[in-house]
């Protein structure tokens, strides 16, 4: 009897395994050489816009190397994966991929030969794109300059590197098919939802992930992590003191700066740079969608919150010009026991206030009042510390303001003192608990990069 | 009273602890190499080295600098005996109006202390925070390369060092 039960369990397991293997096996799509001249110019143009919304170039371009030729390191909790060459080079790129092969990759996460692609390539979002849009992106990519540049193999330890795990991941987490439009919302909102959930894959960074690296669906846009930065929540959990409006999100995505929130920095600066190719109407549609998610309630509620934030900000502007004693222990800003308690105020007055004080003369830059800053109000000090250390440096092709980094000027202890002071002075949120550890972690990270 | 180590010399400065280093250098110590450009950390004319890192002295309160090593152009050499970076900037005639050059030389010095033979791309990236309005960028780039060569030449080879 026991052997019979055992035997049937084995049969069921083997059957399930067989079914999974059969399901996960995909055939090669025959190589095909497309000629760049065979593509419709309008489709190429549309594809350029969609590729910029999809921010393809960031992960598929190595620093200072040819665009779309791959090599960018994407750090995941499972290891580092390098963006692949998606130029139409026949040997190292996707030059032999037919349109069907490209669409299968975008929707099912398979390469031309039928291998499962790791989900660092966000096909869980691209799968929602329409046929027409994928054709346009294909037309755009196949008309780029072919670049012969070999792909770098992923650095994922065995056995996680086995492609069968990517297949299992898809079985659990990939939900193919179009985005359902919401008839109760405007056309603009639906366009924004389609772009944001699909090609723009905003949730890839702004949604927390589970232990298997998949987005937690029940915590959509609840805030995530990327490249050592925190991607803030885009829902009602957003740390922004003034609820985001369509106009503010639009300004942020278009210019990299929203006067009630701050400047795009870190990985978001590349997103804004890439979005420069997108049309105003598409950027506005995305803004419309996220404004509705940010949950500021009705207009009256938003305005009340904005007013409250304004008056708090005004009440907390420090006086940075009153004289300070030049002798004694207070001269160095240290309390008698050596703790850097008062130090933060002095650092702010000397290093930050000339731009960030409300009374500052700012002929060439538009820094945000710190009481409005998302970084200052976030639950975690990571972004504040990164911006303080690294500054904000738009690259030659990016728009936006310049803020100097203070990594060489301030010691770890001084950064900690400054962060504690700024948080206490400009935010109503509770004090940050983990500032010192965060500072040393980021310093270590930066030293390793050197 | 704040004690600062500037170019290897101790200076006592009686000023508000929030006073930017730039003002202490120019007004209190009469070290006039570092220039006031914008006062907002946007132009780099005030660049000095603190512990081998280039920083904007207009945004650095003096009270934070106790125990740290500050260097200005006065510490790189003199008119009679210019240091390798200064010599290279002279030989390439890198200054036009000259206002940015003190900051440029300090950032170049910082670069070469971290990276003895930087590539063109590395020089451009490292020097990017410092602005020049005259447009002598190509000469400045050449001067940095020349300074790198000159500084390499004075480093003894292994066999010379063992002698």
């Amino acid at each position: 009897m026991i052997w019979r039960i055992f035997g049937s369990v084995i049969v069921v397991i083997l059957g399930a395994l067989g079914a999974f293997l059969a399901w996960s096996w995909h055939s090669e799509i025959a190589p095909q050489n497309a000629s760049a001249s065979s593509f419709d110019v309008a489709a190429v143009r549309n594809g350029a816009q969609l590729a910029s919304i999809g921010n393809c170039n960031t992960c598929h371009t190595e620093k200072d190397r040819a665009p779309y030729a791959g090599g960018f390191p994407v750090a995941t909790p499972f290891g580092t994966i390098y963006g692949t060459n998606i130029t139409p080079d026949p040997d190292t790129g996707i030059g032999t991929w037919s349109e069907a092969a490209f669409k299968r990759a975008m929707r099912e996460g398979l390469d031309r030969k039928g291998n499962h692609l790791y989900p660092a390539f966000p096909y869980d979002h691209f799968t929602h794109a329409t046929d027409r849009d994928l054709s346009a992106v294909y037309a755009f990519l196949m008309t780029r300059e072919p670049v012969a540049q070999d792909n770098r193999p992923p650095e994922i330890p065995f056995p996680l590197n086995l492609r069968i795990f990517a297949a299992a991941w898809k079985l659990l987490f990939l939900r193919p098919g179009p985005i359902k439009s919401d008839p109760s919302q405007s056309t603009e909102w639906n366009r924004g939802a389609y772009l944001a959930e699909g090609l723009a894959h905003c949730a890839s960074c702004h949604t927390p992930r589970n232990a298997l690296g998949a987005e937690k669906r029940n915590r959509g846009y609840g805030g995530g992590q990327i490249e050592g930065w925190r991607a803030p929540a885009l829902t009602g959990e957003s740390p922004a003191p003034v609820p985001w409006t369509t106009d503010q999100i639009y300004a942020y995505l278009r210019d990299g700066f929203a006067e009630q929130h701050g400047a795009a920095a870190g990985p978001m600066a590349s997103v804004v740079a890439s979005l420069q190719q997108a049309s105003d109407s598409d950027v506005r549609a995305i803004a419309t969608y996220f404004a509705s998610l940010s949950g500021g309630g009705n207009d009256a509620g938003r305005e009340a919150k904005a007013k409250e934030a304004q008056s708090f900000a005004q009440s907390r502007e420090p006086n940075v010009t009153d004289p300070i004693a030049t002798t004694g222990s207070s001269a160095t800003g240290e309390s008698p026991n050596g703790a850097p308690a008062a130090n933060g105020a002095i650092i702010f007055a000397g290093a930050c206030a000339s731009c960030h004080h409300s009374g500052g003369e700012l002929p060439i830059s538009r820094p945000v009042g710190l009481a409005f800053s998302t970084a200052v109000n976030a639950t975690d000090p990571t972004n504040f510390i990164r911006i303080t250390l690294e500054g904000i440096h738009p690259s030659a092709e990016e728009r936006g303001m310049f803020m100097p980094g203070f990594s060489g000027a301030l010691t770890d202890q001084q950064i900690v003192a400054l962060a504690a002071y700024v948080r206490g002075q400009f935010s109503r949120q509770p004090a940050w608990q983990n500032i010192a550890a965060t500072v040393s972690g980021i310093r270590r990270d930066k030293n390793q990069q050197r | 009273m704040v004690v600062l180590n500037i170019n290897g010399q101790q200076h006592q400065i009686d000023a508000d602890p929030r006073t930017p280093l730039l003002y202490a250098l120019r007004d209190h110590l009469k070290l006039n190499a570092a220039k006031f450009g914008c006062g907002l950390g946007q132009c780099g004319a005030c660049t000095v080295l603190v512990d081998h890192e280039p920083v904007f002295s207009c945004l650095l309160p003096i009270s934070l600098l106790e125990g740290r090593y500050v260097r200005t152009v006065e510490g790189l050499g003199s008119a009679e005996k210019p240091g390798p970076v200064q010599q290279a900037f002279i030989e390439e005639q890198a200054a036009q109006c000259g206002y940015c050059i003190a900051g440029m030389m300090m950032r170049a010095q910082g670069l070469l202390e971290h990276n003895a033979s930087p590539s063109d791309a590395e020089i451009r990236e490292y020097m990017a925070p410092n602005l020049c309005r005259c447009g002598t960028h190509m000469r400045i780039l050449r001067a940095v390369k020349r300074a790198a060569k000159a500084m390499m030449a004075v480093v003894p080879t292994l066999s010379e060092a063992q002698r």
Side-chain angles (χ1 to χ4, degrees), chain A residues 109-133:
Chain A
L110 295 160
D111 71 8
R112 188 184 62 76
K113 292 190 166 162
N115 296 314
H116 291 278
L117 298 169
Y118 298 118
F121 173 47
Y123 45 74
D124 51 337
H125 290 281
F126 298 159
T127 190
H128 303 314
T130 64
D131 223 43
R132 188 170 160 271
D133 282 355

Side-chain angles (χ1 to χ4, degrees), chain B residues 30-153:
Chain B
K30 308 297 177 200
L31 294 170
N32 289 320
K35 300 286 183 284
F36 180 94
C38 65
L40 300 167
Q42 303 279 312
C43 76
C46 68
T47 303
V48 302
L49 292 178
V50 174
D51 298 339
H52 303 276
E53 295 290 335
V55 301
F56 297 143
S57 62
C58 73
L59 294 183
L60 193 52
I62 51 171
S63 59
L64 305 185
L65 291 166
E66 297 236 40
R68 302 183 72 188
Y69 176 37
V70 178
R71 274 179 296 163
T72 67
V73 167
E74 287 90 346
L76 296 186
S78 61
E80 297 73 38
K81 203 167 179 256
V85 169
Q86 291 168 310
Q87 188 65 41
F89 272 68
I90 294 167
E91 283 168 6
E92 291 294 346
Q93 287 291 289
Q96 186 165 321
C97 88
Y99 204 77
C100 71
I101 290 297
M104 291 285 183
M105 288 195 291
M106 293 318 289
R107 188 167 292 274
Q109 178 77 23
L111 169 62
L112 298 176
E113 287 179 11
H114 289 295
N115 182 350
S117 55
S119 67
D120 285 5
E122 285 169 332
I123 296 174
R124 282 166 186 264
E125 189 176 348
Y126 200 89
M127 300 298 290
N130 287 40
L131 307 182
C132 162
R133 282 175 52 150
C134 300
T136 62
H137 300 85
M138 299 315 289
R139 291 178 180 205
I140 291 169
L141 289 177
R142 285 203 299 271
V144 177
K145 287 188 87 75
R146 179 184 281 266
K149 273 194 196 133
M151 286 162 87
M152 289 290 267

Side-chain angles (χ1 to χ4, degrees), chain A residues 257-294:
Chain A
F257 182 76
E259 57 187 9
Q260 293 179 337
H261 301 277
M268 194 61 201
S270 325
V271 174
V272 170
S274 176
L275 271 181
Q276 295 305 311
Q277 303 296 320
S279 69
D280 287 351
S281 61
D282 277 348
V283 174
R284 187 160 281 280
I286 294 171
T288 303
Y289 175 62
F290 282 113
S292 80
L293 295 188
S294 77

Side-chain angles (χ1 to χ4, degrees), chain A residues 63 319-327 330-332 343 346-347 349-351 354-355 361-364 402-404 406 408-411 414 450, chain B residues 1-2 13-18 20 38-43 50-51 53-56 58-61 63-66 68 114 121 125 128-129:
Chain A
K63 190 171 181 283
N319 190 331
V320 294
T321 49
D322 273 0
I324 288 182
T326 58
T327 52
S330 65
T332 56
N343 221 341
I346 287 178
I347 300 171
S354 55
C355 291
E361 294 275 325
L362 306 170
I364 50 174
F402 172 86
M403 172 181 148
F406 288 84
L410 302 180
T411 63
Q414 289 164 352
R450 233 175 233 163
Chain B
M1 194 71 73
V2 177
I13 294 170
D14 188 11
D16 186 311
R18 297 165 299 190
C38 65
L40 300 167
Q42 303 279 312
C43 76
V50 174
D51 298 339
E53 295 290 335
V55 301
F56 297 143
C58 73
L59 294 183
L60 193 52
S63 59
L64 305 185
L65 291 166
E66 297 236 40
R68 302 183 72 188
H114 289 295
E125 189 176 348

